[in-house]
C-alpha cells in the first residue's frame, strides 16, 4: 500500500512539474495586416496613405514613406504594405485584436476605400495558450469617392 501511495505521489509531482514547465512563449508569432492596393482597373497603386483603427486608437501609414523606414509599417513592392499590429503606435502593454477599421486613399486623386476587417487568430503554441497573434491579408480596390 505504501509503495502505491509513493507511486501516486510521484505521478502527481511529475504532472505538476510538466504543467508548470509549459510556457506560452508565442515565439515566432507576429500579428500583421497586409494590404494589396489596386486601382479600379486592377493595376497596383504606387502611392497611397491610410489609417487603421485598433482598440479605438487610430494609426496612419503611407507608401512610399515620407519619413525614414518604420519597422511597424513596411512598404513592399508597389501597391503593398505590411502593418505590424503588435507594435504599430503602441502605448499600452496589451491590446485586443478584434475587428480593425481600415481606410486607404490614393495620393494622386479621388480614389478611396474603407472597410472593417476581422483578422484570424493563430495558435502558435497550441490552443491552450490562446491566440497569440492574428494575421490578415486584404486586397483593396480603390473606388472613386
Amino acid at each position: 500500500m505504501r509503495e502505491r501511495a509513493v507511486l501516486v505521489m510521484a505521478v502527481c509531482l511529475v504532472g505538476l512539474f510538466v504543467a508548470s514547465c509549459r510556457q506560452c512563449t508565442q515565439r515566432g508569432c507576429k500579428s500583421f495586416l497586409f494590404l494589396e492596393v489596386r486601382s479600379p482597373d486592377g493595376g497596383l497603386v504606387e502611392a497611397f496613405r491610410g489609417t487603421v483603427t485598433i482598440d479605438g486608437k487610430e494609426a496612419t501609414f503611407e507608401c512610399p514613406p515620407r519619413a525614414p523606414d518604420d519597422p511597424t509599417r513596411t512598404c513592399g513592392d508597389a501597391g503593398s504594405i505590411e502593418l505590424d499590429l503588435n507594435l504599430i503606435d503602441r502605448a499600452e502593454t496589451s491590446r485586443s485584436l478584434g475587428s480593425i477599421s481600415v481606410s486607404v486613399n490614393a495620393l494622386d486623386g479621388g480614389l478611396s476605400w474603407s472597410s472593417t476587417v476581422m483578422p484570424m487568430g493563430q495558435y502558435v503554441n497550441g490552443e491552450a495558450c490562446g491566440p497569440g497573434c492574428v494575421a490578415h491579408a486584404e486586397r483593396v480596390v480603390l473606388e472613386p469617392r
Side-chain angles (χ1 to χ4, degrees):
M1 182 72 157
R2 184 177 177 144
E3 292 170 355
R4 188 173 185 198
V6 169
L7 180 60
V8 168
M9 186 82 120
V11 169
C12 288
L13 287 174
V14 168
L16 287 173
F17 178 72
V18 169
S20 68
C21 289
R22 179 175 176 87
Q23 294 181 2
C24 295
T25 61
Q26 299 176 11
R27 191 169 295 143
C29 184
K30 181 178 176 183
S31 290
F32 69 90
L33 173 64
F34 177 81
L35 301 175
E36 179 186 76
V37 182
R38 295 191 171 268
S39 64
D41 66 4
L44 292 168
V45 176
E46 293 191 27
F48 57 91
R49 73 169 51 113
T51 62
V52 292
T53 304
I54 305 169
D55 290 344
K57 294 186 170 78
E58 187 176 273
T60 61
F61 58 87
E62 186 169 335
C63 287
R66 283 190 284 169
D69 284 340
D70 179 345
T72 66
R73 298 158 174 87
T74 305
C75 296
D77 295 332
S80 69
I81 186 168
E82 182 177 306
L83 304 166
D84 186 334
L85 299 176
N86 286 335
L87 301 174
I88 191 167
D89 292 353
R90 186 176 177 135
E92 64 278 354
T93 57
S94 66
R95 162 180 278 170
S96 64
L97 289 173
S99 62
I100 299 171
S101 297
V102 183
S103 67
V104 180
N105 299 299
L107 293 182
D108 65 353
L111 299 176
S112 65
W113 175 91
S114 65
S115 185
T116 299
V117 299
M118 180 63 79
M120 305 251 327
Q122 298 177 1
Y123 298 93
V124 175
N125 296 305
E127 291 189 27
C129 292
C133 56
V134 296
H136 188 81
E138 186 77 24
R139 184 175 186 182
V140 172
V141 179
L142 301 177
E143 298 292 336
R145 293 181 197 190

